[in-house]
């Protein structure tokens, strides 16, 4: 299965038959290279991705400044050090799950709830971990 298929069919899918979807999603390598992304994924800066990579390696790095993606600032909320970063911005937010070789990104806006985004992103991340990826 191609990485784009994972984005299109597993991240940008209908959530629980509700007709709701993430607003955008992507899979990056842990080196910051893009493996696949939705057409709606925002135009990010490489330093923003590098800051996310640094957070996975040094948990707590983003908490004081926030997580930035495409210039948008997300307040970093609970996550799992070295494994999951979650952020909130208004009625939307972001979830990033790190696997051995990849980072799975999901962004959402209302009516999608934070827990729904986390479930979609982290389920794919856990699957990739189980596959040794």
């Amino acid at each position: 299965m191609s990485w784009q298929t994972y984005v299109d069919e597993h991240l940008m899918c209908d959530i629980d038959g509700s007709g709701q979807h993430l607003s955008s999603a992507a899979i990056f390598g842990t080196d910051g290279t893009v493996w696949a992304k939705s057409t709606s994924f925002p135009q990010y800066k490489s330093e923003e991705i590098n800051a996310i990579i640094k957070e996975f390696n040094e948990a707590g790095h983003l908490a004081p400044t926030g997580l930035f993606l495409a210039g948008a600032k997300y307040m970093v909320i609970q996550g799992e050090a070295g494994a999951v970063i979650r952020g909130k911005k208004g009625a939307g937010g972001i979830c990033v799950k790190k696997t051995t070789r990849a980072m799975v990104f999901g962004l959402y806006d209302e009516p999608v709830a934070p827990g729904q985004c986390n479930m979609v992103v982290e389920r794919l991340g856990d699957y990739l971990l189980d596959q040794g990826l």
Side-chain angles (χ1 to χ4, degrees):
M1 186 179 312
S2 77
W3 291 111
Q4 191 62 50
T5 303
Y6 281 112
V7 170
D8 296 341
E9 296 181 8
H10 298 278
L11 293 174
M12 296 301 291
C13 61
D14 183 334
I15 301 171
D16 298 332
S18 64
Q20 299 170 355
H21 305 277
L22 297 180
S23 53
S24 63
I27 301 174
F28 283 72
T30 53
D31 61 357
T33 57
V34 178
W35 290 2
K37 62 185 178 71
S38 64
T39 55
S40 57
F41 197 77
Q43 191 63 42
Y44 60 89
K45 297 180 178 109
S46 60
E47 55 267 20
E48 294 170 333
I49 302 302
N50 290 336
I52 292 167
I53 293 168
K54 185 173 182 178
E55 175 68 19
F56 281 123
N57 296 328
E58 301 172 28
H61 165 73
L62 289 178
T65 59
L67 181 157
F68 287 85
L69 189 65
K73 181 179 180 177
Y74 295 85
M75 179 179 65
V76 177
I77 55 177
Q78 93 283 355
E80 298 167 32
V84 179
I85 302 169
R86 298 183 188 110
K88 187 91 173 109
K89 177 181 170 285
I94 185 170
C95 178
V96 186
K97 169 79 176 183
K98 182 181 179 287
T99 71
T100 308
R101 296 177 34 211
M103 297 180 294
V104 181
F105 285 68
L107 285 80
Y108 68 93
D109 285 304
E110 283 186 330
V112 174
Q116 291 174 302
C117 176
N118 299 345
M119 178 192 64
V120 170
V121 170
E122 294 175 38
R123 186 176 3 183
L124 179 59
D126 289 341
Y127 170 79
L128 295 176
L129 279 168
D130 289 346
Q131 301 304 307
L133 300 169

